[in-house]
């Protein structure tokens, strides 16, 4: 069955006003057949230059190349990514706005930010989980410690001198830092940024002592020695950083988390268009050059179906709700 016929068949089922519906069906089918006839935007809810932005730009460029229309990345950082998500939830559900969600905006923010102008679960529809992403604990390179144990001792000895940054209140990176403080009984002052790129600049300048970030945002700095990695948050070491222990190995057995990046559209986007975007996103991440670049950055290319992302997302929501409650981080 052609896409046109499939849409017509679906919409005509149970139609009360066949004439009107047929007209709507025809318009939608025409729209899907023409799609995309102009450029698309990809909303990235964190600052430019950070890990979310780096991976989003890779995928956007590849999808744009394949669809013959530019996919333009728009960075809308702030409030832990909820400013960008609010904007994407407001724009028309026509398939011309893609939302680049991550674990923080899709699975944690709904429990942290109680007064959002949108409903994350109702307003967004899964397209594809693009990549799984380890997180890493980074310190300013002048902090006089060699490993995690020494860093914990240093923070205990200097409670008033410790500042740590994150990509926003309630993000996985903020939660990681709070968990770190809880597990190590240490203190420090949190500073929230619009993304980890501006936080990293402050860490390198010495304003911040430590931060957690998605590995792709730090891998080059770690290799160049401009920042130092004390541990990764995953259950096993990461192949691009064989000498960096997991935090569990380094002395915090209960410490384990990971991030992920995924593409969503606004709910209500025509089905045929969502399916096209799913196919394009999968193709982009499976492209050997893109997949290799994602691996070089320390992440894992996934390229899941929309259905798999839906299942995974529900499991992540169930996982993060109690963790947010335990850390007592909800904002009213
Ligand atoms: N590190 C990401 C960025 O600023 C944000 C990740 C997160 O908060 O989950 O691009």
């Amino acid at each position: 069955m052609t896409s046109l016929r499939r849409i017509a068949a679906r919409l005509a089922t149970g139609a009360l006003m066949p004439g009107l519906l047929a007209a709507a069906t025809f318009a939608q089918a025409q729209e899907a057949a023409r799609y995309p006839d102009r450029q698309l935007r990809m909303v990235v809810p964190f600052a430019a230059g950070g890990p979310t932005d780096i991976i989003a730009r890779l995928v956007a460029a590849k999808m744009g190349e394949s669809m013959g229309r530019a996919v333009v990345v728009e960075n809308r950082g702030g409030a832990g990514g909820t400013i960008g998500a609010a904007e994407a939830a407001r724009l028309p559900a026509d398939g011309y706005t893609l939302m680049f969600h991550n674990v923080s905006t899709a699975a944690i923010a709904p429990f942290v930010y109680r007064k959002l102008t949108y409903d994350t679960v109702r307003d967004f529809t899964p397209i594809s989980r693009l990549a799984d992403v380890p997180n890493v604990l980074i310190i300013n390179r002048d902090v006089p410690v060699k490993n995690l144990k020494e860093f914990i001792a240093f923070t205990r000895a200097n409670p008033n001198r410790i500042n740590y940054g994150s990509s926003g209140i309630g993000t996985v990176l903020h939660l990681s830092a709070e968990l770190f403080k809880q597990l190590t009984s240490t203190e420090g002052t949190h500073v929230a940024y619009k993304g980890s790129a501006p936080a990293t600049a402050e860490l390198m300048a010495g304003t911040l002592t430590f931060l957690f970030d998605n590995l792709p945002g730090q891998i080059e700095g770690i290799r160049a020695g401009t920042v130092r990695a004390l541990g990764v948050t995953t259950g096993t070491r990461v192949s691009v950083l064989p000498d960096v222990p997991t935090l569990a190995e380094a002395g915090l057995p209960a410490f384990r988390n990971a991030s992920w990046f995924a593409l969503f559209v606004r709910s209500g986007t025509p089905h045929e268009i969502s399916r096209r975007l799913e196919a394009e996103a999968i193709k982009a991440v499976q492209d050997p050059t893109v997949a290799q670049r994602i691996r070089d950055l320390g992440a894992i290319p996934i390229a899941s179906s929309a259905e798999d992302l839906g299942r995974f997302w529900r499991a992540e929501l169930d996982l993060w709700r109690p963790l947010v409650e335990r850390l007592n981080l909800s904002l009213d």
Side-chain angles (χ1 to χ4, degrees):
M1 221 194 269
T2 64
S3 348
L4 259 158
R5 284 235 217 86
R6 208 158 35 223
I7 293 176
R10 205 172 19 250
L11 284 182
T13 316
L16 293 175
M17 293 184 286
L20 263 182
L21 268 178
T25 306
F26 187 66
Q28 268 203 23
Q30 272 191 325
E31 180 75 37
R34 274 201 311 265
Y35 178 86
D37 65 359
R38 57 183 191 275
Q39 70 176 36
L40 290 80
R41 68 158 71 83
M42 185 182 278
V43 176
V44 171
F46 295 99
T52 315
D53 180 65
I54 294 170
I55 306 261
R57 281 176 197 272
L58 261 179
V59 175
K62 207 24 123 193
M63 287 178 71
E65 200 181 292
S66 165
M67 291 195 287
R69 299 285 169 184
V71 178
V72 180
V73 167
E74 291 182 8
N75 298 93
R76 294 277 184 272
T82 59
I83 288 177
E87 180 167 332
R90 221 175 20 238
L91 290 164
D94 56 7
Y96 287 89
T97 300
L98 310 178
M99 175 65 200
F100 200 93
H101 268 302
N102 65 7
V103 62
S104 301
T105 53
I108 304 177
F111 309 120
V112 174
Y113 293 86
R114 298 284 180 78
K115 289 192 179 141
L116 293 173
T117 55
Y118 59 96
D119 178 324
T120 312
V121 172
R122 185 196 61 205
D123 294 345
F124 290 102
T125 296
I127 295 295
S128 175
R129 174 166 145 232
L130 308 172
D132 282 355
V133 188
N135 298 320
V136 62
L137 168 59
I138 290 293
I139 58 170
N140 170 280
R141 68 170 175 185
D142 298 325
V143 177
V145 301
K146 284 194 293 294
N147 53 39
L148 183 74
K149 260 206 181 90
E150 289 185 15
F151 181 61
I152 294 169
F154 176 82
T155 51
R156 285 208 185 112
N158 298 280
N160 301 324
R161 282 175 50 200
I162 307 298
N163 299 314
Y164 58 100
S166 81
S167 50
I169 293 179
T171 56
V172 67
L173 307 176
H174 177 213
L175 264 58
S176 295
E178 295 307 319
L179 180 64
F180 173 80
K181 280 177 23 188
Q182 205 175 75
L183 294 173
T184 57
S185 310
T186 52
E187 302 285 325
T189 305
H190 176 231
V191 190
Y193 296 85
K194 289 188 177 176
S196 30
T200 304
E202 298 282 309
L203 179 93
M204 285 165 62
T207 319
L208 301 176
T209 325
F210 79 94
L211 57 84
F212 281 83
D213 194 8
N214 308 133
L215 184 52
Q218 301 296 336
I219 188 78
E220 272 152 26
I222 297 168
R223 286 183 178 135
T226 53
V227 295
R228 284 198 294 144
L230 292 184
V232 291
T233 61
T234 37
T236 52
R237 289 191 184 202
V238 175
S239 61
V240 291
L241 285 180
D243 300 331
V244 175
T246 65
L247 288 174
E249 265 180 82
L252 300 175
F255 205 109
R256 185 161 172 178
N257 69 36
S259 293
W260 45 270
F261 295 155
L263 220 50
F264 286 71
V265 287
R266 232 191 86 177
S267 299
T269 298
H271 184 76
E272 295 296 312
I273 291 180
S274 297
R275 296 293 61 79
R276 171 77 189 280
L277 288 169
E278 177 189 18
E280 294 290 352
I282 291 173
K283 196 162 80 180
V285 173
Q286 285 177 344
D287 173 84
T289 317
V290 172
Q292 191 52 45
R293 176 82 184 122
I294 292 175
R295 278 190 216 100
D296 289 345
L297 286 163
I300 303 158
I302 300 289
S304 85
S305 68
E307 208 183 321
D308 279 353
L309 171 57
R311 264 193 301 273
F312 175 80
W313 185 28
R314 280 189 292 279
E316 285 284 292
L317 286 160
D318 289 344
L319 175 83
W320 285 99
R321 179 200 293 269
L323 296 177
V324 172
E325 283 164 7
R326 211 172 307 148
L327 287 169
N328 206 11
L329 282 177
S330 292
L331 302 173
D332 283 323

